[in-house]
Structure formats: structure tokens, C-alpha cells
């Protein structure tokens, strides 16, 4: 068999659609489950009323976070800091990518740590409130960029590639959605509480909401135009699963995330499942390659099992064990009159939660770049 034949067979394998069951599972994992959960949430609310339904969903998602949301944050640390020194200081990566590793792996956490310590040491809810607002500002960026990855990578696995113009249109829609989600609704600046921390929110004037809304609508029309042009030229559209995952991420998880009060509790878990699916693709294909010759490494199932267990354990330590210990020892055990007014009874939980979220966004933006050679495993379809 010639190398040209192998290449042609490989291309055919990439373009061959998987079994319908696998495609259905992928559709649900990358966001399609949202479409089923909306009517279920409506039925639950209709059956028992809003307050009991909200209590039940909140209880379920809080405890499910130990197996879904928290490991999704923890596994980012396991991926990012594996061989981090070699990646940041060695010659394997381009200088720009090495600089990104140093920034996300060292400079960002140092800055966040100093920020959080300053807020806790001074008992300043205002200082920690600014950190919380930075988290809320960046979370939309994180969501839409993940949606962009879902669309482009899973489409490439089906043999569908976006042109530079199409990529720019997709990214414009992502960033316009992020901007509109942050600016909406208009906010004159009000007192709010998050994780027990009481602070005054930054003002979002109505003009900003209007401008970003117009930009979001225009970007949607631009995206529709480039896809229609592709259809006219080739009679092809992006595959259903990644396209649906992308649109659900931008529209239902980012821009209109408050459409249903019960779904507000479920969207972070759905986002985490979407993320963990990509981690599974990456590490499964990497493990399969290492399992064969010449390495003959550990079985794929064992590698994935160890990674999953490590992520669950680290997630529990970061979000449950460590904050509970610190808040119990340093806040609840402190005498009255300590400088924690406005920070609530769990300021360490709030600080750690915000720190990990923001750091996760920056690490994620480095791990999943095309510059990272490990991302080649995402395109393996075997």
C-alpha cells in the first residue's frame, strides 16, 4: 500500500460519519442536553411550583458539582502543570506559547493570590468584590471561546474546515455575545451578594447594553451570511453536533442564561460536561497511542481512571475541604469584631472560588490553543 493510498484512506476515515448512537451521545454532551432540560424544568416548575423546584434543582446541582463542576476545574490544573517546567522553559514550544505558559502558570496566579490576600487581610469586601466582578466579566469570554473550540475541532473531526473569513465571523459572534451578555441587563450599580461577599456592582449604562446588542445582532447576520455562502458554493454546512453545541453555548449559556431560573443552576454543570468531553477525547487518544508500540504503556482505562479520580479528589480539596477548614479555623473560630464585615462567614471559600475560576480561564486559553502540540490528539478519530 502506497503512502498516497494511506493518506486517502485516512481522509476517508475522518470524513466518515460515526454511528448514530455515538453522534447522539456527542450531541448531548456538547450542549444538546440543554434542549431537553428546558422542557423538563418547565414541567417540574408546573408540577411543584417555582420555590420547591428551585430548592430541589439547587440541592441536586450543589452535590453533583463534586463529580462534575469541581473536577472540571481541577483537571485543568492536572493538564496544565504536567511537565509545565519543560513547556515553559524548554525548546519544545514556540517562544510566544512559552510566554503564555509563564503568564498563565506563574504571573496570573501570583497576581490573583496577592489580590485575594490583600482583600482578606484588610477585610475589604470592596476589594474582593472587584475580583468577583472580574470573574463575572471573564466567564463569558471563557464560555464563548469553549464554544468556538467545540465548533471548529469537532467539525474538523468530521472533515469540515472553516476558511479564515468564516473563522473571523464565528469569533466575531463569540466576542459580540460575550460583550452583550456582560452589558445586559443595564445596571446603575447596586449592592449585591456573592458567596457571602457584599459589594457594589459596576454600572452598566443602557447605552452600552444597546450598543452591544446591536453588535451581537450584526454578528449573527454576518455568521449567517458566511454559512449561506458556503452552502451555495459547496452545499455543505457545519455538522449538526458542533454547530448546535456552539449556538447553545453562545445563545443559551452565555447571552440568555437567565431565561429560566432553574436552568441557571444547570448551565455550569452542562458547561463542565462539555469541557470534560474534550478532556476525555484528548487523554483517551493520547493514552491509546502510548498503549501501543514502542512504549506499551499502561492501559487506557487505567490512565483515564487515575486522571478522573485525581480530578475528583483535587476538586474536593480545593472547593470543599480547604475552604471549610480555613473558614472554620480563621473566621468562625475568631472572636467577634474581626475585620471580616461584609465578607460573610465564608470569605476563604469566596476567595478560593474566585481565584480558581479566573485562573482556570487563563490556563484553559493556553492548553487548548493550536500551538499546543498535544491538541493533535483531539483530531484522532480511531
Amino acid at each position: 500500500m502506497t503512502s498516497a493510498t494511506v493518506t486517502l484512506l485516512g481522509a476517508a476515515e475522518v470524513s466518515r460519519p460515526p454511528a448514530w448512537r455515538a453522534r447522539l451521545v456527542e450531541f448531548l454532551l456538547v450542549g444538546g442536553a440543554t434542549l431537553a432540560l428546558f422542557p423538563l424544568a418547565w414541567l417540574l416548575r408546573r408540577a411543584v411550583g417555582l420555590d420547591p423546584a428551585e430548592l430541589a434543582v439547587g440541592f441536586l446541582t450543589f452535590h453533583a458539582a463534586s463529580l462534575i463542576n469541581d473536577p472540571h476545574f481541577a483537571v485543568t490544573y492536572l493538564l496544565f502543570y504536567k511537565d509545565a517546567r519543560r513547556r515553559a522553559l524548554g525548546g519544545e514550544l514556540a517562544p510566544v506559547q512559552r510566554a503564555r505558559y509563564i503568564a498563565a502558570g506563574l504571573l496570573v496566579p501570583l497576581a490573583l493570590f496577592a489580590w485575594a490576600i490583600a482583600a482578606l487581610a484588610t477585610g475589604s469586601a470592596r476589594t474582593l468584590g472587584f475580583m468577583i466582578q472580574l470573574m463575572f466579566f471573564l466567564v463569558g469570554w471563557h464560555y464563548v471561546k469553549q464554544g468556538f473550540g467545540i465548533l471548529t475541532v469537532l467539525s474538523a473531526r468530521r472533515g469540515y474546515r472553516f476558511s479564515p473569513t468564516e473563522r473571523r465571523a464565528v469569533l466575531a459572534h463569540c466576542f459580540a455575545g460575550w460583550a452583550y451578555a456582560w452589558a445586559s441587563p443595564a445596571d446603575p450599580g447596586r449592592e449585591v451578594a456573592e458567596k457571602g461577599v457584599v459589594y457594589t456592582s459596576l454600572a452598566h449604562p443602557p447605552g452600552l447594553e444597546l450598543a452591544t446588542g446591536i453588535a451581537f445582532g450584526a454578528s449573527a447576520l454576518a455568521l449567517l451570511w458566511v454559512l449561506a455562502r458556503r452552502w451555495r458554493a459547496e452545499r455543505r454546512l457545519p455538522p449538526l453536533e458542533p454547530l448546535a453545541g456552539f449556538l447553545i453555548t453562545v445563545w443559551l449559556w452565555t447571552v440568555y442564561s437567565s431565561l429560566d431560573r432553574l436552568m441557571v443552576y444547570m448551565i455550569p454543570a452542562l458547561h463542565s460536561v462539555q469541557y470534560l468531553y474534550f478532556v476525555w477525547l484528548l487523554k483517551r487518544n493520547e493514552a491509546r497511542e502510548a498503549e501501543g508500540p514502542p512504549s506499551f504503556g499502561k492501559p487506557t482505562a487505567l490512565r483515564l481512571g487515575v486522571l478522573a479520580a485525581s480530578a475528583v479528589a483535587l476538586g474536593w480539596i480545593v472547593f470543599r475541604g480547604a475552604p471549610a477548614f480555613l473558614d472554620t479555623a480563621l473566621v468562625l473560630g475568631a472572636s467577634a469584631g474581626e475585620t471580616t464585615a461584609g465578607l460573610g462567614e465564608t470569605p476563604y471559600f469566596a476567595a478560593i472560588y474566585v481565584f480558581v475560576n479566573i485562573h482556570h480561564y487563563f490556563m484553559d486559553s493556553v492548553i487548548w490553543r493550536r500551538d499546543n502540540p498535544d491538541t493533535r490528539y483531539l483530531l484522532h478519530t480511531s
Side-chain angles (χ1 to χ4, degrees), residues 6-127:
V6 172
T7 302
L8 289 173
L9 289 175
E13 183 179 356
V14 170
S15 62
R16 185 186 305 127
W20 70 268
R21 289 183 182 178
R23 297 191 67 167
L24 175 61
V25 170
E26 183 172 85
F27 171 76
L28 295 173
L29 292 177
V30 300
T34 308
L35 303 180
L37 288 172
F38 263 105
L40 289 176
W42 181 83
L43 289 173
L44 178 62
R45 188 167 56 248
R46 184 178 178 85
V48 302
L50 177 59
D51 290 342
E54 191 169 8
L55 180 63
V57 172
F59 178 86
L60 176 64
T61 53
F62 173 80
H63 290 285
S66 295
L67 297 177
I68 302 175
N69 306 46
D70 300 349
H72 127 269
F73 287 108
V75 78
T76 307
Y77 283 92
L78 299 177
L79 295 178
F80 186 91
Y81 285 103
K82 179 184 178 182
D83 299 326
R85 182 175 181 180
R86 174 176 57 83
R87 295 175 186 273
L89 303 178
E92 174 186 343
L93 302 177
V96 173
Q97 183 68 354
R98 292 204 303 270
R100 293 190 186 105
Y101 262 97
I102 293 172
L106 181 62
L107 301 182
V108 168
L110 284 177
L112 292 174
F113 181 77
W115 191 343
I117 289 297
L120 294 171
T122 59
S124 174
R126 185 170 183 267
T127 301

Side-chain angles (χ1 to χ4, degrees), residues 289-299 303:
E289 181 178 286
E291 192 177 24
S295 303
F296 296 104
K298 297 176 182 178
R303 287 173 177 263

Side-chain angles (χ1 to χ4, degrees), residues 85-248:
R85 182 175 181 180
R86 174 176 57 83
R87 295 175 186 273
L89 303 178
E92 174 186 343
L93 302 177
V96 173
Q97 183 68 354
R98 292 204 303 270
R100 293 190 186 105
Y101 262 97
I102 293 172
L106 181 62
L107 301 182
V108 168
L110 284 177
L112 292 174
F113 181 77
W115 191 343
I117 289 297
L120 294 171
T122 59
S124 174
R126 185 170 183 267
T127 301
L128 192 54
F130 281 127
M131 193 172 176
I132 292 172
Q133 291 179 89
L134 176 62
M135 176 187 72
F136 284 137
F137 175 70
L138 292 176
V139 68
W141 167 63
H142 173 64
Y143 269 49
V144 299
K145 284 286 285 180
Q146 183 166 304
F148 175 78
I150 291 292
L151 177 62
T152 54
V153 172
L154 295 186
S155 294
R157 285 171 58 86
R158 305 280 193 275
Y160 186 100
R161 304 278 180 173
F162 289 87
S163 70
T165 299
E166 291 166 346
R167 288 177 64 90
R168 285 193 290 269
V170 173
L171 281 172
H173 191 54
C174 288
F175 291 131
W178 167 36
Y180 182 48
W182 182 76
S184 176
D187 181 3
R190 54 196 172 86
E191 188 174 85
V192 294
E194 179 66 30
K195 302 294 183 289
V197 180
V198 180
Y199 62 92
T200 301
S201 62
L202 294 173
H204 300 168
L208 180 62
E209 180 184 14
L210 177 62
T212 55
I214 292 172
F216 180 59
S219 71
L221 293 176
L223 178 61
L224 183 62
W225 180 78
V226 297
L227 293 179
R229 187 177 65 171
R230 181 72 171 265
W231 172 257
R232 288 196 303 268
E234 302 179 11
R235 287 295 186 268
R236 295 187 71 193
L237 288 174
L240 173 63
E241 298 87 346
L243 181 60
F246 168 73
L247 294 175
I248 288 169

